[in-house]
Amino acid sequence: MTQPIGNPSHIGNLDAGQLGPQPTFLPDDHPDVEAKRRLDAGEEALDIVADLPASSLAWAVLADEAHAEGRLVDSYAYARVGYHRGLDALRAAGWRGAGPIPWSHEVNRGFLRALYALGRASAGIGESEEAARIEEFLRSSDPAAIDAIVAG
């Protein structure tokens, strides 16, 4: 089932009894869909990101791989690219810089994973203020995302 994309923040607020931005759902044709299919088929993230550079998921996987190997600066760089590519996609989907980005919508997960990886790498290279800002952003996007990412 296709989720609504980038709902204007004022629609549904009165009926739902909520104020504030509505959740943003990346579209079903986002590059992360193809990247996930290819990752699940066993392809290397480095090959996928070369073909799908707008995939936050592929960049997040590269960040995870670099982090696991102790290459914190590489992890930071990969995560930052995935984060920025995700911000571009979210804005195109109607996101206005605030509001939920639900983990439950699978296409959003690449961005949330890149965001998590960026915070982890920031902490690892001593950027504690950036790490704290990123953790706050991730928790405000979806409070369940961190636990879901850590659980793998």
Side-chain angles (χ1 to χ4, degrees), residues 59-118:
W59 289 108
V61 170
L62 286 175
D64 289 346
E65 291 172 354
H67 184 267
E69 295 170 3
R71 296 182 294 119
L72 296 182
V73 173
D74 292 347
S75 180
Y76 180 88
Y78 291 140
R80 183 152 295 285
V81 173
Y83 163 75
H84 280 287
R85 296 311 294 256
L87 287 178
D88 292 344
L90 287 166
R91 288 182 187 118
W95 186 71
R96 302 280 187 264
I101 304 166
W103 174 263
S104 61
H105 182 62
E106 192 166 338
V107 187
N108 288 353
R109 292 180 183 179
F111 169 75
L112 295 168
R113 284 183 59 183
L115 184 60
Y116 175 84
L118 182 57

Side-chain angles (χ1 to χ4, degrees), residues 4-37:
I5 299 171
N7 292 334
S9 62
H10 64 280
I11 295 176
N13 287 343
L14 296 176
D15 293 334
Q18 299 175 333
L19 296 177
Q22 294 296 304
T24 301
F25 303 95
L26 290 173
D28 292 336
D29 64 351
H30 186 274
D32 279 355
V33 174
E34 176 67 11
K36 183 175 184 331
R37 185 193 65 72

